[in-house]
Amino acid sequence: MKNKEIPYKIYLDEKDIPKTWYNMRADMKNKPAPLLNPGTLKPMKKEELAAVFCDDLIEQELDNDTAYFPIPEEIQEFYKMYRPSPLVRAYRLEEKLGTPAKIYYKFEGNNTSGSHKLNSAIAQAYYAKKQGLKGVTTETGAGQWGTALSMACAYLGLDLKVYMVKVSYEQKPFRREVMRTYGASVTPSPSTETEVGRKILAAHPGTTGSLGCAISEAVEKAVTSEGYRYVLGSVLNQVLLHQSVIGVEAKTALDKYGIKPDIIIGCAGGGSNLGGLIAPFMGEKLRGEADYRIIAVEPASCPSFTRGVYAYDFCDTGMVCPLAKMYTLGSDFIPAPNHAGGLRYHGMSPVLSQLYHDGYMEAVSVKQTDVFEAAELFARTEGILPAPESSHAIRASIDEALKCKETGEEKTILFGLTGTGYFDMVAYEKYHEGEMEDYIPSDDDIKKTTDKLPKVNL
Amino acid sequence: MKNKEIPYKIYLDEKDIPKTWYNMRADMKNKPAPLLNPGTLKPMKKEELAAVFCDDLIEQELDNDTAYFPIPEEIQEFYKMYRPSPLVRAYRLEEKLGTPAKIYYKFEGNNTSGSHKLNSAIAQAYYAKKQGLKGVTTETGAGQWGTALSMACAYLGLDLKVYMVKVSYEQKPFRREVMRTYGASVTPSPSTETEVGRKILAAHPGTTGSLGCAISEAVEKAVTSEGYRYVLGSVLNQVLLHQSVIGVEAKTALDKYGIKPDIIIGCAGGGSNLGGLIAPFMGEKLRGEADYRIIAVEPASCPSFTRGVYAYDFCDTGMVCPLAKMYTLGSDFIPAPNHAGGLRYHGMSPVLSQLYHDGYMEAVSVKQTDVFEAAELFARTEGILPAPESSHAIRASIDEALKCKETGEEKTILFGLTGTGYFDMVAYEKYHEGEMEDYIPSDDDIKKTTDKLPKVNL
């Protein structure tokens, strides 16, 4: 048995909750490409963005120079509700695997939203409130973001309209009910409430919706409602900025015990968790102060990093959102109905895309049956039922730990355990019943949608 | 705004997790009455109990003298997986209520079982393993106990057969699936697997089951299977002993900041959470070292303390379990279908019953619509979605805090937040839709079942 001088859970004191967010862009030589106006395909100005987004958030979105943003006191107070989150040493998993590797995970699921999404939800709601808005609109797929935002809005007394992908709305009535408990209105998307919704319904009667479509509806609702703006739970630079609280806190806890990770692993859908977890480590790497292997893990069914192209693309189906330069499978790409709703997005954070393009990080894709095998092993050994999304990171971490077992290397692995799977038991049931399938798109499938990428000449 | 010198969450260090359980019975002048053999109605001997329960647990069950039991190291290790649990200062709730009261809650829901049940589950599984058993059987209603036990059994490599009240099995497929993730076999009760199950099915075709009936099946399965014993998540003395970890930890955290509660509040079904939370405080009270108001909160639909009688009764429907002297509504009492499954039990812990009878604690009953009103307020202010069971304690705590608002008293309230409500969204939905009703049994309803109590002459 290993010497257990490091506690199972490293909890920082309340006073050690980060007081600044760290902006990786400040240390990047190649900055992420600017957002483009979907009409003109020219870089968007602040004024254009202001119809959609909150003013302060636009500042954060566009700022490629400021390394540290002070976290407003009100947000710090809210963070105290569920932060600091524990950094856990996975002694039991290590023992089960028989690996010499040391595995740590930063667990962001110990809050009612069930995931890390709350870190940015409260920030975005705060700035909306500060601007004197009545409310905000958003979309949600798996429901974690919608839940987080409903908690933040309830706390600040802001109205919230959520467009929930229809298939999730129907399959996850409990998620919907949690949002209602926090006072949000939840509409299945596509709906007849918006022009874009009606268009999509006319073109695809009986459609069960998609994230890209729900985004379009939420944006339209925001720009056509007095006193509302649109907020988004991933992809955007501002979201990665807020989520840096995960990485800064994790690094503070590791530093307290003099631990330096060799490998940092996170699941990647839009990139909010991974971008947040790696932030301070990537900062050191960008500044040449330290080196880390950083691995993004994505589903084999929606492999934007590993099989997509790096190009400008639409963020939504209705093409009302700004365009971003990112690794993408094409905005028309419909991922197979896998069970990691939060990772079913055709694109990827522009910041992470640039970093990946410049060789600062790696990416792997994993099959969902392998993911659930890892999830169940993790649940039984570590006692936490992980979300399917988070389990992608578990899978990759186990694979790295097993490599260490072969080589005998005592590597230190840090991964992000973004959330819990209490609302994902249908997926676990499918896995238990042997009914879970692996979907892997063919090269042709991907070519079909990437061939249709917009032509951009800057 | 109040001075916030006490942190929002008081986390103890891992080394401060209690190393002993405290046994209130050692300090009680009037000991709880002995268990009786259901056949002879005479006090049960160790040998008779040994057919049903694990040997070490029988020692704990019968020991009215030993004040402190050392917690075995293996259990301490397991506790580190999710303990110490946070003691939270409810600053936001206080502010929302505008009360001068100081409210603290001990939150036991931050683990995958979603409740405090894990504290006793690991202990019972540990002693079963130590005895060299193959496995254990149990029943579960709401599913929290079954989930907790499945986690403990998976950890120790013990087989587990769960009899789940049929209505819960059907209405809570996700709970069932969590148990399966941890490798348990789950059977809807009544089943045709046991004699008692077949009898009940014959007498009541189409019945959706009850906790009392599932207990009978689990006990029968244990005594008729080689290498199996039966374990139970509440009511028994041993369970209160294990759950004392909650109270000891809470008291250590309060002592650290020199805080002395005036009122201690917990929900009470079988009494495991309340008995655990109050243990060290009640100890001081019994020894005359300190005084506290201690309040048990029960549903108006199942009011064993406030409207039951103090007498010997059967613990289960099939009358195969030992009899206990307790506050009871009669083992034939069928509580209305309220949404706090964990509180729908006709009886009450013999230890708590004796303490209540001797005037060491009070009891109140609350209506479920009032409970859900409190639950929603709590969710929105404190950011935790509470279980319906726990919300009974929230309701009573809010009521006490509002009394302080009237009188201006700065009382300190401590309550037990036993778990989270992620698997109870059907109940929340009913509440949101205005479809939730309050069931209050008539005096006649209660008389019908208490009139049938067994006649015991010791």
Side-chain angles (χ1 to χ4, degrees), chain A residues 3-320:
Chain A
N3 175 4
K4 291 179 182 167
E5 62 193 13
I6 307 288
Y8 280 75
K9 296 194 269 15
I10 305 177
Y11 270 112
L12 295 175
D13 287 339
E14 208 160 271
K15 64 176 173 45
D16 294 326
I17 298 176
K19 294 186 177 49
T20 52
W21 291 307
Y22 166 64
N23 180 10
M24 284 186 281
R25 287 166 282 158
D27 288 309
M28 288 167 72
K29 271 179 216 116
N30 301 322
K31 309 292 183 189
L35 298 171
L36 301 187
N37 184 308
T40 64
L41 299 187
K42 297 290 167 206
M44 277 190 99
K45 294 180 195 126
K46 276 187 199 178
E47 311 79 70
E48 295 170 303
L49 288 165
V52 180
F53 300 109
C54 303
D55 296 344
D56 284 343
L57 291 168
I58 296 170
E59 296 290 337
Q60 296 180 353
E61 189 65 28
L62 300 177
D63 192 326
N64 287 335
D65 305 306
T66 308
Y68 296 96
F69 283 80
I71 302 176
E73 270 199 26
E74 292 85 340
I75 299 177
Q76 288 190 39
E77 282 295 296
F78 188 88
Y79 279 169
K80 288 179 190 166
M81 193 186 283
Y82 65 100
R83 307 204 67 84
S85 73
L87 179 76
V88 188
R89 173 74 183 267
Y91 282 119
R92 296 176 187 82
L93 180 63
E94 292 170 19
E95 213 167 289
K96 184 80 180 175
L97 297 174
T99 177
K102 301 182 184 84
I103 308 176
Y104 293 86
Y105 55 91
K106 181 73 171 165
F107 180 39
E108 293 287 316
N110 263 354
N111 70 73
T112 285
S113 80
S115 82
H116 66 294
K117 295 284 182 182
L118 205 48
N119 300 326
S120 184
I122 184 59
Q124 297 193 46
Y126 166 80
Y127 291 113
K129 178 87 177 176
K130 188 179 161 215
Q131 196 175 327
L133 298 176
K134 276 188 226 162
V136 290
T137 71
T138 200
E139 79 294 329
T140 200
Q144 293 184 326
W145 167 247
T147 309
L149 192 63
S150 68
M151 290 175 69
C153 287
Y155 184 70
L156 294 171
L158 266 182
D159 186 46
L160 170 62
K161 296 181 198 304
V162 180
Y163 290 86
M164 187 170 187
V165 178
K166 192 181 275 175
V167 61
S168 296
Y169 183 90
E170 285 162 2
Q171 288 182 353
K172 296 195 173 188
F174 296 165
R175 270 280 181 210
R176 182 187 75 206
E177 219 50 54
V178 180
M179 290 184 254
R180 288 179 68 195
T181 300
Y182 286 95
S185 82
V186 187
T187 306
S189 166
S191 76
T192 55
E193 274 185 13
T194 64
E195 199 172 318
V196 64
R198 290 188 291 272
K199 258 192 209 165
I200 292 168
L201 281 171
H204 309 279
T207 176
T208 55
S210 73
L211 209 51
C213 160
I215 295 175
S216 301
E217 287 205 85
V219 170
E220 182 186 320
K221 188 73 182 182
V223 299
T224 57
S225 305
E226 182 67 32
Y228 281 76
R229 292 293 185 282
Y230 167 73
V231 298
L232 178 67
S234 192
V235 184
L236 295 176
N237 302 343
Q238 59 187 265
V239 179
L240 268 70
L241 176 68
H242 306 148
Q243 294 294 359
S244 69
V245 70
I246 305 172
V248 174
E249 220 178 71
K251 192 162 187 312
T252 305
L254 289 170
D255 286 348
K256 201 171 146 184
Y257 287 87
I259 304 158
K260 190 180 168 297
D262 298 296
I263 312 175
I264 303 168
I265 297 174
C267 62
S272 73
N273 141 67
L274 181 67
L277 175 69
I278 66 174
F281 303 97
M282 184 60 88
E284 289 188 334
K285 192 165 175 169
L286 289 165
R287 296 189 301 269
E289 296 164 9
D291 197 17
Y292 304 96
R293 265 187 79 201
I294 294 174
I295 308 176
V297 193
E298 54 186 20
S301 57
C302 195
S304 40
F305 263 147
T306 49
R307 297 177 63 197
V309 298
Y310 187 42
Y312 265 108
D313 195 7
F314 292 99
C315 292
D316 62 328
T317 311
M319 305 181 181
V320 299

Side-chain angles (χ1 to χ4, degrees), chain A residues 1 4 6-12 14 17 77-84 92 109-114 151 154-155 171 173-184 375-376 378-386 420 422-423 425-426 428-430 432-433, chain B residues 1 4 6-12 14 17 77-84 92 109-114 151 154-155 171 173-184 375-376 378-386 420 422-423 425-426 428-430 432-433:
Chain A
M1 204 187 260
K4 291 179 182 167
I6 307 288
Y8 280 75
K9 296 194 269 15
I10 305 177
Y11 270 112
L12 295 175
E14 208 160 271
I17 298 176
E77 282 295 296
F78 188 88
Y79 279 169
K80 288 179 190 166
M81 193 186 283
Y82 65 100
R83 307 204 67 84
R92 296 176 187 82
N110 263 354
N111 70 73
T112 285
S113 80
M151 290 175 69
Y155 184 70
Q171 288 182 353
F174 296 165
R175 270 280 181 210
R176 182 187 75 206
E177 219 50 54
V178 180
M179 290 184 254
R180 288 179 68 195
T181 300
Y182 286 95
E376 193 161 281
F378 185 83
R380 292 188 185 187
T381 49
E382 291 293 313
I384 297 171
L385 187 84
T420 49
Y422 304 131
F423 293 93
M425 295 318 295
V426 169
Y428 276 91
E429 186 173 10
K430 283 232 158 81
H432 296 149
E433 300 291 347
Chain B
M1 206 187 260
K4 291 180 182 166
I6 307 288
Y8 281 75
K9 294 195 273 10
I10 305 177
Y11 270 112
L12 296 175
E14 207 160 270
I17 298 176
E77 282 294 297
F78 188 88
Y79 279 169
K80 288 180 190 165
M81 194 186 281
Y82 65 100
R83 305 202 70 83
R92 295 177 186 83
N110 263 355
N111 70 73
T112 285
S113 81
M151 290 175 68
Y155 183 70
Q171 287 182 353
F174 296 166
R175 270 280 181 210
R176 183 186 74 206
E177 220 48 54
V178 179
M179 290 184 254
R180 288 179 70 195
T181 300
Y182 285 95
E376 191 161 283
F378 185 84
R380 291 187 185 187
T381 49
E382 290 292 315
I384 296 171
L385 187 84
T420 49
Y422 305 130
F423 292 94
M425 296 318 297
V426 169
Y428 275 92
E429 185 173 10
K430 283 234 157 79
H432 295 149
E433 300 290 348

Side-chain angles (χ1 to χ4, degrees), chain A residues 295-309 327-329 348 356 362-366 443 446:
Chain A
I295 308 176
V297 193
E298 54 186 20
S301 57
C302 195
S304 40
F305 263 147
T306 49
R307 297 177 63 197
V309 298
Y327 278 84
T328 178
L329 297 160
M348 184 55 73
Y356 179 63
E362 312 165 28
V364 295
S365 76
V366 289
D443 289 343
I446 293 174

Side-chain angles (χ1 to χ4, degrees), chain B residues 173-380:
Chain B
F174 296 166
R175 270 280 181 210
R176 183 186 74 206
E177 220 48 54
V178 179
M179 290 184 254
R180 288 179 70 195
T181 300
Y182 285 95
S185 82
V186 188
T187 306
S189 166
S191 77
T192 54
E193 274 185 13
T194 65
E195 200 173 317
V196 64
R198 289 188 294 271
K199 258 191 207 165
I200 291 168
L201 282 171
H204 309 278
T207 176
T208 54
S210 73
L211 210 50
C213 160
I215 294 176
S216 301
E217 286 206 87
V219 170
E220 181 186 323
K221 187 73 181 181
V223 299
T224 57
S225 304
E226 182 68 31
Y228 282 78
R229 291 295 183 283
Y230 166 72
V231 298
L232 179 65
S234 193
V235 184
L236 295 176
N237 302 342
Q238 60 187 266
V239 179
L240 268 71
L241 176 69
H242 306 147
Q243 293 295 359
S244 69
V245 70
I246 304 173
V248 175
E249 218 178 74
K251 192 161 186 312
T252 306
L254 289 169
D255 286 348
K256 200 171 147 184
Y257 286 88
I259 303 159
K260 189 179 165 300
D262 298 296
I263 312 174
I264 303 168
I265 297 173
C267 62
S272 74
N273 142 66
L274 181 65
L277 176 68
I278 66 174
F281 304 99
M282 184 60 88
E284 290 188 334
K285 193 165 173 168
L286 289 165
R287 296 189 302 269
E289 296 165 7
D291 197 17
Y292 304 96
R293 265 187 78 200
I294 294 176
I295 308 175
V297 193
E298 54 185 20
S301 57
C302 195
S304 39
F305 263 147
T306 50
R307 297 177 64 198
V309 298
Y310 188 41
Y312 265 108
D313 195 7
F314 293 98
C315 291
D316 62 328
T317 310
M319 305 180 182
V320 299
C321 270
L323 281 79
K325 188 172 178 192
M326 56 185 178
Y327 278 84
T328 176
L329 297 160
S331 65
D332 278 349
F333 181 83
I334 306 285
N338 73 46
H339 292 288
L343 304 183
R344 297 183 66 228
Y345 185 66
H346 67 276
M348 182 57 71
S349 145
V351 170
L352 294 186
S353 291
Q354 186 68 52
L355 289 167
Y356 180 62
H357 188 69
D358 291 343
Y360 286 101
M361 47 188 281
E362 310 164 30
V364 296
S365 76
V366 290
K367 289 190 295 181
Q368 73 172 344
T369 50
D370 294 339
V371 165
F372 275 84
E373 186 198 32
E376 191 161 283
L377 176 67
F378 185 84
R380 291 187 185 187

